[in-house]
């Protein structure tokens, strides 16, 4: 254990738990505090009449062997505990619009071919659209997990331009344009505001491959807790942080449930 490296993380959602694993694996003394009775944030599930329901993470992408999420799951040491089931590669997502259904297929060629069956006059535009999706996604070292291999100019351009601005420039059929942004609720996009780069990352992430988590996404939360525990950390429930305590320069601890001081 490293000296003077006691870390407190507030909240046990996916961000808190995965950060906890990274810090614990690197020798930090990690404590995660969750104010509720259940860990996981949007990884929580609930059961009604014997059926299990998701609250947030309904399916995940890029989890086939060697892809981005597969690598992350291995690093977080949850790949053995979390079992995935691949969705139909010809219809991993479906957009319903004006009484018609438009199926999304995994993979560049399959996606373009399937979408062109609905919009045959847009084939060349679909090729341009997907070329740009891949170009923007691959320009980000964070997205590809390839350190220092990035295109900052391209990243900046499509972080400044909105989704609808770019798509309307490429796609000339307004129905197809609406279909391509049919998954906007995944990332709460706003017209004229959300950058095209966000759309590109999401589209590329799910188009590579798509899976559901067998038994519910709360399996990810419990697996992350197990990794944290293996490295000496802990996750505590019903511990509401009511105050962050600071000295003249930095945080030195937290007050929990209005009466307990925990130093860090």
């Amino acid at each position: 254990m490293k000296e003077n490296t006691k870390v407190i993380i507030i909240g046990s959602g996916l961000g808190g738990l995965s950060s906890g694993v990274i810090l614990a694996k690197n020798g930090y003394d990690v404590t995660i505090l969750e104010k509720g009775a259940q860990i996981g944030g949007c990884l929580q599930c609930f059961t009604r009449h014997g059926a299990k329901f998701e609250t947030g993470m309904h399916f995940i992408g890029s989890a086939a062997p060697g892809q981005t999420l597969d690598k992350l799951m291995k690093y977080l040491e949850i790949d053995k505990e979390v079992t995935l089931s691949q969705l139909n590669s010809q219809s991993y997502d479906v957009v319903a619009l004006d009484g018609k259904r438009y199926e999304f297929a995994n993979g560049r060629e399959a996606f373009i071919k399937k979408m062109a069956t609905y919009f045959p006059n847009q084939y060349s535009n679909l090729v341009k659209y997907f070329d740009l999706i891949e170009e923007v996604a691959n320009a980000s070292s964070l997205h590809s997990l390839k350190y220092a291999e990035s295109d900052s100019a391209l990243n900046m351009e499509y972080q400044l331009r909105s989704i609808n601005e770019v798509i309307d420039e490429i796609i000339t059929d307004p129905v197809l344009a609406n279909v391509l942004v049919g998954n906007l609720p995944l990332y709460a996009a706003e017209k004229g505001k959300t950058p095209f780069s966000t759309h590109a990352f999401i589209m590329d992430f799910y188009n590579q491959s798509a899976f559901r988590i067998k038994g519910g996404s709360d399996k990810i939360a419990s697996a992350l807790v197990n990794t944290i525990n293996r490295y000496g950390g802990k996750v505590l429930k019903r511990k509401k942080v009511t105050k962050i305590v600071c000295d003249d320069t930095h945080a030195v601890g937290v007050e929990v449930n209005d009466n307990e001081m925990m130093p860090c």
Side-chain angles (χ1 to χ4, degrees):
M1 192 68 67
K2 293 184 178 181
E3 251 186 273
N4 301 319
T5 52
K6 183 175 178 58
V7 176
I8 288 176
I9 296 174
I10 304 171
S12 69
L14 179 59
L17 292 173
S18 55
S19 297
V21 169
I22 294 168
L23 290 167
K25 287 187 67 169
N26 283 278
Y28 291 84
D29 180 3
V30 174
T31 300
I32 298 179
L33 304 177
E34 169 57 51
K35 68 178 179 180
Q38 187 176 349
I39 64 164
C42 287
L43 295 173
Q44 292 182 26
C45 299
F46 65 93
T47 303
R48 293 290 184 273
H49 305 294
K52 197 169 188 178
F53 294 85
E54 300 285 357
T55 62
M57 189 179 287
H58 297 87
F59 70 107
I60 59 177
S62 293
Q67 292 180 348
T68 303
L69 198 60
D70 175 61
K71 294 176 183 178
L72 288 172
M73 290 176 69
K74 284 181 169 61
Y75 175 78
L76 297 170
E77 299 181 21
I78 63 173
D79 56 303
K80 299 293 191 297
E81 288 187 62
V82 178
T83 305
L84 303 178
S85 175
Q86 188 162 9
L87 301 181
N88 183 349
S89 63
Q90 287 299 307
S91 182
Y92 74 90
D93 205 358
V94 179
V95 172
L97 185 64
D98 293 330
K100 295 182 179 179
R101 289 165 56 87
Y102 303 92
E103 298 177 332
F104 286 30
N106 284 126
R108 171 196 168 80
E109 299 307 324
F111 178 87
I112 294 171
K113 182 179 178 181
K114 172 73 71 102
M115 206 53 64
T117 63
Y118 308 121
F119 304 95
N121 295 330
Q122 292 290 305
Y123 181 85
S124 61
N125 290 340
L126 282 163
V127 172
K128 293 176 188 175
Y129 164 78
F130 214 91
D131 282 347
L132 186 59
I133 291 292
E134 291 187 322
E135 189 178 4
V136 173
N138 292 331
S140 167
S141 59
L142 179 63
H143 183 77
S144 63
L145 299 184
K146 295 177 180 177
Y147 179 71
E149 294 181 19
S150 64
D151 186 331
S152 57
L154 188 70
N155 279 332
M156 180 61 71
E157 178 183 355
Y158 289 103
Q159 285 170 6
L160 294 174
R161 301 184 67 195
S162 69
I163 297 170
N164 51 288
E165 178 191 354
V166 175
I167 288 182
D168 289 347
E169 209 173 69
I170 300 171
I171 304 298
T172 56
D173 187 317
V175 178
L176 174 57
N178 285 334
V179 169
L180 293 176
V181 297
N183 60 1
L184 293 187
L186 277 174
Y187 47 101
E190 290 186 62
K191 187 175 183 179
K193 293 184 179 180
T194 304
F196 181 81
S197 59
T198 300
H199 172 78
F201 295 153
I202 295 290
M203 180 62 77
D204 179 74
F205 180 71
Y206 285 103
N207 186 260
Q208 288 188 39
S209 62
F211 296 79
R212 69 177 183 87
I213 301 101
K214 282 190 175 181
S217 62
D218 53 357
K219 299 292 184 183
I220 293 178
S222 60
L224 289 168
V225 171
N226 290 339
T227 305
I228 290 167
N229 290 340
R230 283 197 298 274
Y231 285 91
K234 51 187 177 290
V235 180
L236 305 177
K237 294 181 284 188
R238 300 186 188 278
K239 296 288 186 180
K240 181 180 180 180
V241 174
T242 48
K243 184 179 181 181
I244 297 176
V245 181
C246 301
D247 62 13
D248 292 338
T249 60
H250 62 285
V252 295
V254 296
E255 182 184 84
V256 179
N257 297 334
D258 291 316
N259 59 18
E260 180 185 357
M261 174 64 183
M262 298 183 68
C264 64

